[in-house]
Amino acid sequence: MSDLDPKALDLTRVESDVAFLGFALSDCTVELDPQSAKYLRPVNRTALELATHNQFGSEIGGFWLMHDQIAKLRNLPAYYPSKEAPFVARAVEAYLRAQLDQFYLLISR
């Protein structure tokens, strides 16, 4: 694959039937500034409340956060005072990033 010219691969024209649906919540380490870190517990609690248990059956199990639920979680800062909302937004994005880092670790093995 190293022999291919990167300019010859125009990925902007590639169409795909693949769509991101969601992911199963897992234990993860979230890296966050101290001001935003105090909102991590409500973010995690809200994610668990929004998630669907056994979304794909008990064989797969877990709490699944689907695309629509991720959008609702990203709306969480709207329920906080304007001074706190940016910290909550950072906590939400850091939480999602940490959850997806676990996902990428699994598929890269």
Side-chain angles (χ1 to χ4, degrees):
M1 190 125 192
S2 61
D3 295 336
L4 294 176
D5 180 10
K7 293 179 182 174
L9 297 174
D10 185 6
L11 297 178
T12 59
R13 296 181 187 186
V14 174
E15 292 185 30
S16 174
D17 292 335
V18 177
F20 178 76
L21 293 178
F23 57 89
L25 296 175
S26 63
D27 291 337
C28 61
T29 302
V30 180
E31 295 181 23
L32 204 52
D33 62 273
Q35 288 178 306
S36 299
K38 73 179 196 176
Y39 298 101
L40 200 50
R41 184 168 290 164
V43 168
N44 183 56
R45 185 177 61 242
T46 303
L48 283 169
E49 289 173 2
L50 290 170
T52 304
H53 188 248
N54 294 339
Q55 173 74 31
F56 300 104
S58 60
E59 297 82 27
I60 297 176
F63 288 90
W64 289 79
L65 203 58
M66 307 308 286
H67 188 268
D68 292 343
Q69 296 157 326
I70 293 168
K72 289 179 182 178
L73 184 61
R74 283 187 164 138
N75 195 37
L76 185 61
Y79 296 94
Y80 283 83
S82 60
K83 289 183 179 182
E84 296 178 52
F87 302 116
V88 177
R90 280 200 289 267
V92 168
E93 293 306 318
Y95 179 82
L96 292 172
R97 190 170 37 255
Q99 288 287 335
L100 290 173
D101 279 348
Q102 296 299 316
F103 172 74
Y104 286 118
L105 286 176
L106 288 174
I107 62 171
S108 67
R109 291 182 184 170

